[in-house]
Amino acid sequence: MSYYFTIIGTRDNPLFEIDFGTHKLGGDGVARFRDEAKHMNQFIVHAALDMVEEAQWMGKDLYLRRVDTFQNNHVHCFLTGGNVKFMLLMNPDPTASSYASYRSPPPSRPSTARQSASMLAANPSSQATEDAVRQFMLEVYEAWLKCIMNPFYQVNNVVTSPIFRGRVATAAKKYL
Amino acid sequence: MDRYSPVAPSHVRVLVLPVGRVDRTRFVHFLTRLQKEAAFVQLADLPSDEDANARLSTLSPKTFPNGSILFNYSTVDQIDQHHQLSPFELFREPLLVLGVAHLDGVTPEDAEKELKEATQYLRERHPRVVHRQLLALNEPASESNVHHGNVISIAEPFRDGDGALKKAVHELASRFLAELATYTKAMQASPSIQTPGQTSRSLQTQPVREKSRQIGAGLPSGRHTPSGSEVSSPTSDNSPSRPPSRGFGSPPPATSFNQMQHVTSASGGLGRSDSRASSKSQSENRAETQDRVSVQGFGSNTSQEKARNRGKARVGIVIGHIHLMAGQWNEALRILIEHTTRSRALADHLWHAKGMEGICNCLLLIAWAGLEFLIPSLLLQSDRTNTSGHRKRDSQNGETPARKFANILPEVFKSIMNLYLAGDGSLELPPVIISEAAIRFSKTLAIIRRYNGQLHGTSLAHIVQDKIIPANGSGDDLSISLISRSAVADMLSLAQPVSDDTLTLADHISILAGISSVYSILQMNRKKAITVRAMVAKLTAALNRARKLGAAEMGIHPAASLSAETGAGTILAVVEESGGINDLISQIIDIYGAEMMSPLPPTSHTPAPKDLSHGSTSEVHFGNDALKESIMRDMVAFCEASPDPYGVLRLTASLLKSARPCAAVDTEPEFSNSPIEEQEHLRLAAIISRTIGVSKTLGLPDVQATYWDPFLVRGIEFKPAKATQKVILRSKLKTAVPSADDRIPGNPLLYDPNTSRPGTAITPEKLLLVAAESVECTIELQNPFDMPVEIERMVLVAEGTEFATSYRPCTLGPRRIQRIPLSVSPDNVGESRITGCRIKIFGCHEQIFYIVEKPWTDRPTLLVKDHGQNGRRPIKGVRGSGITYPETSQIAAKIIGKQPILVFESVSLLESSLMLLEGESQCFGITLRNTSSITASVFEAVGTKNVLGLADEMASPVNIAPGETATLKFEAVGTAGVSEIQADFYYCSTADGANTSEYVRMLSVPLNLTVNAALRFQHFDVLPTDSSATFMLCFDIGNAWPKPLTYSCEVASAEKPEADDDDFCTENGTLGPGEVARVHVKIKRWSSLADCDKKEVCRQLADHLRVSWTCENRTGEMDLSNMSLPTEAIALVQGPPVQVDLHILSMAKQKSSTRSFAGAKIGSFMTVRANLTNRITTPTSPLFIQLHTRTADGALYNDRHIAVAGAQHRILPPLDGWCKDKIVDFVTCPLMAGVVELKVTVTPIGTASAPSGSWVSADSLMINVE
């Protein structure tokens, strides 16, 4: 289970990027995207912005739930008031998701079946997943608000604060 | 006709083939005509053929004249795999083959033969098609032409819009319908039709996991289809060797529940629980499917009956589709509804879905034809099963069928998709079918959505005819449209091909193209971009692989991407045809926020200076840099594979441009982080040079990039002209001494708060250039990249004139700002502005670069108003706030007509240096030559002041013809301390007129001068004399020359004391070497002396004294101007401010030179008059005047000798400045004979300004009393 979290500014520009793995079920919190996938993640998230723009007018909630699916990746989005998008891409088994030949054999870990049942991305539209992602997003949003209150931060600038990064990582550890 | 047209199932695929020799362009032209003019054939237009009419009762055009046949002309036969889908999707197979023969200039016999052969050939090659037809193109309607067999001939085949084509196609259609009727009959005879996507053989070749999925299906063929004779088409080849079907493209399994939902929902709705199997693990899958099969087998004891019914329904659905193609839409609808209902009842899901799709197609076409229709309950039922809410609303509103149809379409499509995806048990459809269906459905929905969710004329025209009508402004009215974009996108995502190994490359690419087209209808640019990117990546890989294979076959090493063997012709053809591709690439790159360079050579249009920042202010900050770089790399790879050298260059240059922050860099070495590493610059540059190199060897014309840094030119600076070439404004001739380092005046203040005020800025002086005369200038170029740039040519760009430029090619080094010298000469006379520089860089177009002197970088705008992709475009009215543009500078120049140039030719001296003794003078001539092509006129010649001058005053300007010389006489005077002298000649062209020309030039001729000392003066002193009108100057005069000198000191005549015989007036003598003599000269005061300051006194004194010397043949006159006198001496020279002059009235002087009077008688009265003169401008203080009397021996004052009437002293009022002749009279009477001296003294009476006794002025005279 690997996650790629990015914050997209108003001009499709990434402000923050982090990838991490799950901490649940004995996960070590390390993302296991393949090199190719790391590259593709940005593209997938970029393409999902189209869906965000569609979904954002549908409700009044800032959290837009799952907005897009691309092959085996699910993208959840949280839209701030300033039109900054928090995009969380989750891939249940990145080692298995090849973009060139998608259907490679499933992973051979014996406990996969049991684990994946409780994994979030294995069931991306389930209420449990949505709740966890929502909580994660809200916590990041709080950290984000504090971060952009920095008078030296200008809109649409890249966030380099290590504290913010740490907070995102903590939130990820807590919920995902 | 689009492959992904929403009504593609109703298209009749026509394969158009050239027969015999047909010119390629002609054939293509004819094909385009067919596609344009004959794609839609109305049944009403078909000729009524009584004979045929009888034969085809079902497909007769007369039965349903409103229908149309939709021909899809193409030149390529679909690959075999598509044919296998044929009866299920009949439109994939070409039903009609057109042989196009061009019988121009062929004898009828030959023609007949040829046509016969062609007919034979077509029959052999295309045995399965329904109808084969030859079309003969008779260009100049040669009536003699054959009517061989069933050949249809067309007159005027190449004239656009000609009716003959339509007529021919009508005939063609009518024949085709006749054949189709036969085909239908054959089809009706077949008991069942196989569903594609089933494998029965060669399981070994399947991947393991697919094998597992197909275990159930892997039993003997026909397990799920009725046993018995299977006829897939009348001309079926009954392929035992049919390759294994590749199509098992199912949604991704195992980890994604997304697709599983479709399965469950679909099967749930239809009461089939067993198809959940697809999500189970392998072993379970196997077991369950086997179970299910057995259950199915035992489930009904009338399985044979059921299978036969299924078969019948399937045949019926195919027949319905044939009617649909034949334009019999009403009939088709009826047949389809009937058989689809049956298939549904029999749980033949794939065919049920197929039938539903056909029904939708029928309804769309009927609606398009403008006919009335009712929505069959079949669709409504399927709708009801999913959402009952919709239905309620529909019935409440009482909408028109079209509107209702549009409203239920999303649900209908969704359920059809679900059926397709679910497959029939373990049987799954090939991914091509699913993907294409998904694209068709989503396209239909997208189009309907585009027209506000309504099915009306325009939207239907778009759907059926692909006629795009610009949507009106309210295209996005969500309140009207029930179809949400995300719903359409969701459906479209089903079309996304997920596996490569089961799709051929062509299909894969084609499907991706179809998906991207629908995204573009939906205006989901980013989604479109990612699809196109995937497509381009596929294409690139395919092209490269193809090239490698091809190269290997030819025995060529495939390393070079643009190998020379490709040939220029091929590449040019590729480039020519890739116009659309280029647009696509530009679009995609634009979506990712990167910027493409203009493909046009930039010299063809002159961009406004504002364009410098084009795409660099807000646009540059759009998008993700990593993505931009990645997408551009992909595109470069694609262009390399194409091969399109132009595209490679354009993209690489764009990539380089984005590699650096778009900025006019500062000299400070602070480059911000660059998206591309330094090594990459070199690599990209290598790509460019390699591409250009290969293109050159191939002989491709004009393969050049656009240079990637618009801020190349950072400044142009003209070197100040050499002194000989400098042109001076005549009005400034006297005021400013021209010098070589005469610069444009700048503001001396580092910070001047007033500079920003209007009118206070210093306007830089205009650059003055002379026509046709070359000037040196330097051009400052920046190169922030890590690679050197070769500059081949540079030309100044100016308004008003051209500059002839001479330039040596040079290299601009990496990461620097470099100055490059250039010599330019303007062509025309007049005002001009230098705006930039046209520079040709190796591998790039010649481009105009504007001058950007000040450092500038783009700043992201702080105003965040844009939403999504709108950020790429400027918002009206918001633009400009906080955005600064780079300032371009211009150099104003004034170009004047040709000016002559004089050079110094020679000087008439033995050596070019002079040796003079101090005070000596010598004449010599300076010769000048005119090297220019016009006559020069020297109107003034000036030498060093006091040293050198013209020997004769210049009466009229000296004209010097081109190439000629002229000599001017000069006289130099030896002056101590001067070693260098120069003669300045001012000249202009005679054309301008010597006195009227505005501009002049100056030539300076420097000469060396050695001055040796002759006489030396020392110890100047001044002694008073007895008269207040004179003083005595005395000094030492020494001989510094090693030879004897004769000197002569003389006081200028006017100031000589009156007595000529006075010895002190002149002094002569001879001095041996080193000898010193003291000289005394008596000098009369002159009038302007008293008022001067110390220096002036010395200067005037030097003017009045002439000291000349003679030594052998040399003579000279010494200059005393630097003599220095002590302060007391100065006072003595100046004398008191008031001069008093004493004389006796009515008595003559004895001698004019003395001051004694004779003839005074004892006892007689005489008046002694003192004449007072104020010699200075300021008034004096009150004066005290006193008369003193003395005897000749001067010892005693004695009243007995002379008596004075009244007081001997007076007090006088102040004298005004320059007041003359203030007279004071004393009346005296001598009492004894003898000599009496009378003396008056005048002193000021003490005031604050002039204390008493500060000076005394006196005069005296002697009276000889008899």
Side-chain angles (χ1 to χ4, degrees):
Chain A
M1 188 76 162
S2 298
Y3 297 91
Y4 167 71
F5 176 73
T6 182
I7 298 178
I8 307 281
T10 61
R11 310 185 138 264
D12 286 11
N13 47 335
L15 308 181
F16 178 80
E17 283 178 292
I18 189 173
D19 49 11
F20 47 83
T22 183
H23 287 273
K24 306 281 180 217
L25 299 161
D28 54 359
V30 177
R32 292 204 165 68
F33 289 113
R34 304 186 317 162
D35 286 348
E36 181 192 353
K38 274 183 183 167
H39 175 68
M40 269 311 279
N41 284 340
Q42 295 186 326
F43 274 102
I44 293 168
V45 168
H46 181 262
L49 291 178
D50 266 335
M51 306 300 284
V52 172
E53 280 168 19
E54 187 66 22
Q56 72 181 42
W57 310 111
M58 295 302 173
K60 56 185 179 179
D61 205 0
L62 289 181
Y63 177 55
L64 303 179
R65 310 170 73 86
R66 183 168 64 93
V67 289
D68 195 17
T69 306
F70 185 84
Q71 294 178 354
N72 210 13
N73 302 287
H74 306 283
V75 182
H76 294 250
C77 177
F78 181 92
L79 183 71
T80 74
N83 196 15
V84 172
K85 289 138 241 170
F86 297 173
M87 309 288 284
L88 180 73
L89 178 142
M90 55 173 82
N91 189 321
D93 197 358
T95 47
S97 86
S98 123
Y99 299 95
S101 60
Y102 174 71
R103 284 195 286 171
S104 55
S108 55
R109 268 161 66 193
S111 59
T112 307
R114 190 184 56 79
Q115 277 191 6
S116 61
S118 52
M119 269 190 179
L120 298 175
N123 203 353
S125 50
S126 76
Q127 196 53 43
T129 313
E130 293 291 359
D131 283 348
V133 174
R134 182 196 299 271
Q135 276 171 320
F136 168 74
M137 290 294 194
L138 284 174
E139 189 145 329
V140 173
Y141 185 43
E142 199 180 326
W144 171 256
L145 286 180
K146 285 174 184 164
C147 176
I148 61 171
M149 272 195 273
N150 183 344
F152 295 106
Y153 176 80
Q154 286 193 330
V155 69
N156 272 348
N157 270 13
V158 173
V159 174
T160 51
S161 158
I163 294 172
F164 180 70
R165 182 168 289 268
R167 287 201 176 136
V168 173
T170 314
K173 196 169 180 177
K174 210 155 131 194
Y175 299 111
L176 299 177
Chain B
M1 284 280 179
D2 187 9
R3 177 173 173 182
Y4 301 107
S5 164
V7 290
S10 57
H11 288 172
V12 176
R13 199 177 161 81
V14 185
L15 187 62
V16 187
L17 295 174
V19 167
R21 281 173 315 210
V22 184
D23 188 36
R24 178 174 172 268
T25 50
R26 294 264 164 125
F27 180 69
V28 171
H29 183 190
F30 182 69
L31 184 69
T32 351
R33 275 200 69 195
L34 278 178
Q35 285 167 343
K36 253 194 219 156
E37 297 170 24
F40 298 91
V41 178
Q42 277 235 312
L43 292 187
D45 294 341
L46 295 192
S48 55
D49 189 349
E50 291 304 321
D51 190 26
N53 208 1
R55 258 194 298 148
L56 43 105
S57 53
T58 50
L59 296 181
S60 165
K62 295 296 163 221
T63 55
F64 188 69
N66 290 319
S68 298
I69 305 180
L70 280 65
F71 282 122
N72 178 12
Y73 300 97
S74 99
T75 51
V76 270
D77 197 359
Q78 287 275 16
I79 29 179
D80 273 352
Q81 283 90 346
H82 280 231
H83 289 174
Q84 288 160 26
L85 311 176
S86 166
F88 184 69
E89 299 205 320
L90 198 60
F91 64 95
R92 291 183 184 279
E93 191 179 17
L95 295 180
L96 181 57
V97 171
L98 268 186
V100 177
H102 188 208
L103 302 171
D104 195 17
V106 186
T107 58
E109 293 76 38
D110 286 350
E112 197 162 331
K113 198 178 153 203
E114 198 173 297
L115 290 176
K116 211 174 264 174
E117 279 171 7
T119 318
Q120 193 64 32
Y121 174 77
L122 288 182
R123 189 170 293 144
E124 278 169 15
R125 282 300 300 270
H126 301 281
R128 286 167 49 128
V129 295
V130 173
H131 183 58
R132 290 167 288 271
Q133 180 67 54
L134 276 178
L135 279 181
L137 310 181
N138 301 341
E139 194 170 1
S142 46
E143 285 306 321
S144 64
N145 229 314
V146 274
H147 273 279
H148 165 79
N150 56 356
V151 175
I152 301 174
S153 58
I154 303 173
E156 304 283 357
F158 304 117
R159 208 173 67 199
D160 284 341
D162 192 64
L165 179 77
K166 273 225 160 122
K167 222 172 121 196
V169 172
H170 289 158
E171 192 174 343
L172 166 78
S174 133
R175 289 184 193 189
F176 168 68
L177 283 182
E179 294 282 339
L180 194 62
T182 323
Y183 179 85
T184 316
K185 279 195 185 120
M187 182 64 79
Q188 265 166 344
S190 61
S192 177
I193 292 166
Q194 195 182 17
T195 313
Q198 182 180 21
T199 21
S200 49
R201 295 173 190 92
S202 51
L203 282 172
Q204 285 75 15
T205 61
Q206 296 286 321
V208 177
R209 66 184 190 288
E210 291 200 353
K211 197 167 163 185
S212 72
R213 312 181 108 253
Q214 291 154 21
I215 290 291
L219 298 168
S221 92
R223 167 61 72 94
H224 302 282
T225 51
S227 56
S229 65
E230 286 183 41
V231 181
S232 57
S233 81
T235 49
S236 167
D237 50 359
N238 261 342
S239 56
S241 61
R242 173 181 285 184
S245 167
R246 305 138 297 112
F248 282 86
S250 71
T255 48
S256 159
F257 276 80
N258 192 29
Q259 279 80 12
M260 266 177 63
Q261 282 180 327
H262 289 292
V263 173
T264 47
S265 66
S267 52
L270 294 160
R272 278 177 57 105
S273 58
D274 47 4
S275 62
R276 285 174 204 268
S278 61
S279 64
K280 297 283 159 51
S281 67
Q282 292 174 38
S283 55
E284 285 168 332
N285 191 357
R286 174 192 288 259
E288 196 174 327
T289 44
Q290 278 172 342
D291 289 349
R292 184 179 49 73
V293 168
S294 60
V295 164
Q296 206 172 35
F298 290 114
S300 157
N301 52 4
T302 57
S303 67
Q304 288 288 325
E305 178 73 15
K306 190 176 170 188
R308 201 162 54 240
N309 285 341
R310 272 189 176 191
K312 267 191 187 163
R314 290 179 181 189
V315 170
I317 288 170
V318 171
I319 302 273
H321 274 97
I322 292 175
H323 279 81
L324 180 63
M325 285 174 170
Q328 306 283 341
W329 299 330
N330 269 340
E331 181 67 12
L333 187 61
R334 188 189 61 74
I335 297 173
L336 281 173
I337 290 172
E338 179 193 336
H339 288 96
T340 310
T341 318
R342 216 196 276 175
S343 260
R344 179 160 171 260
L346 293 167
D348 197 2
H349 302 298
L350 292 176
W351 288 89
H352 169 207
K354 187 78 219 157
M356 297 243 282
E357 196 190 340
I359 292 168
C360 290
N361 252 313
C362 272
L363 292 178
L364 282 174
L365 286 170
I366 290 171
W368 172 65
L371 303 175
E372 288 291 313
F373 65 93
L374 281 176
I375 298 172
S377 58
L378 192 67
L379 298 186
L380 296 178
Q381 278 164 12
S382 76
D383 185 29
R384 189 184 293 138
T385 52
N386 285 323
T387 51
S388 49
H390 267 278
R391 289 277 299 117
K392 256 179 217 158
R393 205 171 54 212
D394 291 349
S395 52
Q396 280 167 3
N397 291 354
E399 294 157 314
T400 60
R403 176 118 192 109
K404 208 196 248 171
F405 184 47
N407 287 345
I408 62 163
L409 258 185
E411 291 304 328
V412 172
F413 282 155
K414 209 174 193 177
S415 57
I416 295 176
M417 259 341 272
N418 286 339
L419 288 174
Y420 275 151
L421 282 170
D424 191 4
S426 60
L427 175 74
E428 282 169 340
L429 283 177
V432 184
I433 292 183
I434 295 176
S435 291
E436 289 195 7
I439 295 173
R440 279 200 300 272
F441 296 161
S442 45
K443 191 166 187 174
T444 316
L445 295 181
I447 292 171
I448 294 175
R449 188 187 175 283
R450 202 184 137 177
Y451 296 97
N452 297 341
Q454 289 184 21
L455 275 176
H456 46 59
T458 32
S459 60
L460 283 166
H462 192 166
I463 289 173
V464 177
Q465 289 166 299
D466 209 16
K467 259 191 213 160
I468 299 167
I469 290 110
N472 43 6
S474 60
D476 257 5
D477 200 344
L478 294 165
S479 61
I480 298 175
S481 177
L482 287 171
I483 307 163
S484 80
R485 287 210 294 187
S486 47
V488 183
D490 273 345
M491 176 165 286
L492 197 55
S493 70
L494 299 177
Q496 194 82 28
V498 286
S499 89
D500 290 22
D501 45 0
T502 57
L503 270 179
T504 59
L505 199 66
D507 280 339
H508 195 138
I509 291 169
S510 159
I511 285 171
L512 286 176
I515 294 175
S516 67
S517 82
V518 180
Y519 275 132
S520 104
I521 296 175
L522 284 175
Q523 293 170 332
M524 287 189 153
N525 283 332
R526 302 183 184 99
K527 284 272 186 192
K528 180 177 104 178
I530 195 172
T531 318
V532 172
R533 181 184 168 273
M535 183 176 87
V536 169
K538 278 263 169 255
L539 269 177
T540 311
L543 285 168
N544 282 334
R545 199 158 56 219
R547 177 173 302 109
K548 269 179 197 158
L549 289 177
E553 274 171 23
M554 287 167 73
I556 299 160
H557 195 268
S561 60
L562 274 172
S563 69
E565 283 70 21
T566 323
T570 322
I571 293 176
L572 281 182
V574 166
V575 171
E576 211 168 275
E577 283 162 15
S578 59
I581 295 260
N582 281 339
D583 288 351
L584 184 80
I585 290 176
S586 303
Q587 251 180 40
I588 298 306
I589 285 183
D590 186 63
I591 288 166
Y592 282 103
E595 204 218 341
M596 278 288 276
M597 306 278 255
S598 144
L600 291 172
T603 38
S604 61
H605 65 288
T606 311
K610 222 177 197 184
D611 284 357
L612 274 181
S613 63
H614 172 66
S616 53
T617 38
S618 58
E619 285 92 338
V620 139
H621 298 281
F622 192 89
N624 185 340
D625 287 337
L627 293 189
K628 280 184 213 174
E629 190 205 329
S630 165
I631 191 83
M632 279 167 125
R633 274 180 204 289
D634 288 346
M635 297 299 164
V636 169
F638 174 68
C639 284
E640 273 193 295
S642 294
D644 175 5
Y646 301 100
V648 172
L649 287 183
R650 189 172 160 217
L651 282 159
T652 318
S654 306
L655 190 53
L656 268 172
K657 188 177 180 184
S658 65
R660 278 262 153 244
C662 183
V665 294
D666 212 340
T667 42
E668 286 169 27
E670 188 213 332
F671 289 131
S672 59
N673 55 339
S674 76
I676 299 184
E677 293 139 34
E678 283 119 33
Q679 281 299 315
E680 280 298 305
H681 294 171
L682 289 170
R683 209 182 65 79
L684 291 172
I687 289 181
I688 290 183
S689 61
R690 189 183 70 214
T691 311
I692 290 167
V694 172
S695 309
K696 268 188 187 153
T697 53
L698 286 174
L700 286 177
D702 198 31
V703 179
Q704 283 175 330
T706 307
Y707 189 64
W708 36 89
D709 185 7
F711 304 101
L712 180 67
V713 176
R714 295 300 306 280
I716 295 179
E717 194 178 310
F718 279 81
K719 282 184 185 162
K722 280 181 245 161
T724 51
Q725 294 203 334
K726 195 171 173 70
V727 179
I728 309 156
L729 208 60
R730 188 192 276 266
S731 56
K732 290 194 172 175
L733 197 60
K734 300 298 175 198
T735 55
V737 177
S739 63
D741 53 2
D742 201 10
R743 292 286 174 92
I744 293 169
N747 195 337
L749 300 179
L750 285 178
Y751 170 69
D752 186 358
N754 292 328
T755 43
S756 55
R757 285 222 313 262
T760 54
I762 294 175
T763 46
E765 213 169 274
K766 268 187 186 172
L767 185 71
L768 203 58
L769 296 174
V770 181
E773 209 165 277
S774 76
V775 198
E776 291 288 312
C777 67
T778 53
I779 300 205
E780 206 172 292
L781 301 178
Q782 75 163 16
N783 181 13
F785 296 92
D786 259 321
M787 64 210 180
V789 174
E790 274 179 56
I791 293 166
E792 291 180 344
R793 197 164 56 241
M794 291 206 287
V795 181
L796 286 191
V797 175
E799 289 167 16
T801 184
E802 293 283 310
F803 279 94
T805 314
S806 77
Y807 168 73
R808 259 200 344 267
C810 76
T811 304
L812 177 61
R815 269 181 183 268
R816 66 191 62 183
I817 290 181
Q818 193 172 336
R819 286 199 177 87
I820 290 172
L822 198 66
S823 96
V824 296
S825 66
D827 286 349
N828 307 337
V829 176
E831 298 283 329
S832 167
R833 281 187 307 154
I834 299 168
T835 52
C837 198
R838 193 185 301 128
I839 299 181
K840 167 88 179 78
I841 294 158
F842 170 74
C844 298
H845 297 288
E846 193 164 35
Q847 266 169 276
I848 293 175
F849 294 94
Y850 289 99
I851 311 166
V852 185
E853 277 179 346
K854 288 183 187 158
W856 176 88
T857 186
D858 50 334
R859 294 239 160 68
T861 163
L862 293 182
L863 200 58
V864 185
K865 287 239 172 190
D866 31 46
H867 180 245
Q869 291 271 313
N870 295 334
R872 291 288 288 150
R873 321 269 170 270
I875 305 169
K876 263 183 206 160
V878 176
R879 179 78 186 226
S881 55
I883 296 174
T884 55
Y885 292 102
E887 284 178 41
T888 58
S889 37
Q890 296 174 334
I891 299 175
K894 185 173 185 182
I895 298 156
I896 55 172
K898 285 186 177 180
Q899 296 291 316
I901 295 182
L902 295 182
V903 293
F904 168 65
E905 174 94 352
S906 64
V907 61
S908 64
L909 291 169
L910 283 180
E911 299 118 32
S912 63
S913 65
L914 278 168
M915 200 290 286
L916 293 176
L917 287 182
E918 207 174 329
E920 186 186 0
S921 66
Q922 190 176 352
C923 278
F924 58 92
I926 294 176
T927 309
L928 306 175
R929 180 179 289 281
N930 185 356
T931 55
S932 65
S933 57
I934 55 171
T935 311
S937 163
V938 181
F939 59 87
E940 194 175 350
V942 180
T944 309
K945 204 178 173 188
N946 297 334
V947 182
L948 189 66
L950 270 183
D952 313 311
E953 201 59 38
M954 194 185 280
S956 64
V958 180
N959 285 352
I960 310 176
E964 296 299 309
T965 59
T967 307
L968 283 97
K969 286 255 178 250
F970 276 86
E971 184 177 19
V973 179
T975 308
V978 176
S979 60
E980 282 168 354
I981 55 174
Q982 68 172 27
D984 294 338
F985 301 90
Y986 295 94
Y987 61 95
C988 58
S989 76
T990 41
D992 296 343
N995 298 316
T996 54
S997 70
E998 198 180 347
Y999 297 99
V1000 297
R1001 269 197 166 141
M1002 189 192 81
L1003 172 67
S1004 289
V1005 180
L1007 291 169
N1008 282 327
L1009 177 70
T1010 314
V1011 180
N1012 286 315
L1015 289 176
R1016 204 166 45 222
F1017 303 97
Q1018 275 175 321
H1019 306 129
F1020 283 93
D1021 204 359
V1022 177
L1023 299 173
T1025 56
D1026 47 358
S1027 161
S1028 67
T1030 61
F1031 60 93
M1032 179 80 77
L1033 180 69
C1034 51
F1035 51 90
D1036 286 348
I1037 185 164
N1039 182 3
W1041 187 241
K1043 284 175 186 168
L1045 283 174
T1046 308
Y1047 70 89
S1048 150
C1049 301
E1050 211 176 313
V1051 176
S1053 58
E1055 277 75 31
K1056 270 181 192 167
E1058 283 145 17
D1060 285 323
D1061 51 350
D1062 199 322
D1063 290 337
F1064 295 115
C1065 283
T1066 57
E1067 179 124 7
N1068 302 317
T1070 305
L1071 291 172
E1075 194 183 337
V1076 178
R1078 188 141 185 103
V1079 176
H1080 296 77
V1081 188
K1082 193 173 183 181
I1083 301 171
K1084 191 185 175 189
R1085 290 203 178 91
W1086 55 95
S1087 56
S1088 61
L1089 198 55
D1091 244 353
C1092 308
D1093 64 343
K1094 189 178 168 183
K1095 274 208 175 127
E1096 183 65 15
V1097 169
C1098 291
R1099 200 190 58 74
Q1100 288 190 8
L1101 195 55
D1103 282 349
H1104 285 94
L1105 193 64
R1106 233 178 113 242
V1107 181
S1108 56
W1109 52 264
T1110 321
C1111 170
E1112 295 169 353
N1113 54 352
R1114 291 168 184 269
T1115 56
E1117 199 167 294
M1118 295 302 292
D1119 177 23
L1120 291 169
S1121 57
N1122 54 353
M1123 84 167 77
S1124 69
L1125 290 172
T1127 319
E1128 308 88 62
I1130 296 282
L1132 278 173
V1133 171
Q1134 281 181 316
V1138 175
Q1139 189 185 337
V1140 58
D1141 204 11
L1142 203 61
H1143 62 274
I1144 297 170
L1145 289 181
S1146 70
M1147 275 181 82
K1149 280 183 182 172
Q1150 242 175 3
K1151 263 184 184 173
S1152 63
S1153 62
T1154 61
R1155 307 201 41 85
S1156 55
F1157 292 79
K1161 301 276 189 292
I1162 293 171
S1164 69
F1165 286 91
M1166 57 185 182
T1167 307
V1168 177
R1169 173 166 287 182
N1171 216 339
L1172 273 69
T1173 309
N1174 187 3
R1175 299 193 302 167
I1176 57 173
T1177 50
T1178 50
T1180 62
S1181 48
L1183 298 176
F1184 177 76
I1185 184 165
Q1186 181 155 28
L1187 181 72
H1188 308 271
T1189 56
R1190 268 193 286 184
T1191 52
D1193 49 6
L1196 289 168
Y1197 166 74
N1198 198 335
D1199 285 340
R1200 280 177 298 174
H1201 283 98
I1202 192 160
V1204 179
Q1208 282 187 323
H1209 55 83
R1210 314 267 172 82
I1211 290 175
L1212 301 178
L1215 295 184
D1216 291 335
W1218 298 111
C1219 171
K1220 275 187 179 176
D1221 304 329
K1222 175 74 185 176
I1223 296 162
V1224 181
D1225 287 344
F1226 297 97
V1227 178
T1228 58
C1229 176
L1231 301 174
M1232 288 172 69
V1235 178
V1236 176
E1237 184 187 9
L1238 292 178
K1239 184 180 182 185
V1240 271
T1241 55
V1242 179
T1243 55
I1245 293 170
T1247 60
S1249 59
S1252 65
S1254 62
W1255 49 266
V1256 178
S1257 178
D1259 196 18
S1260 63
L1261 52 78
M1262 312 286 260
I1263 306 168
N1264 211 347
V1265 182
E1266 290 164 2

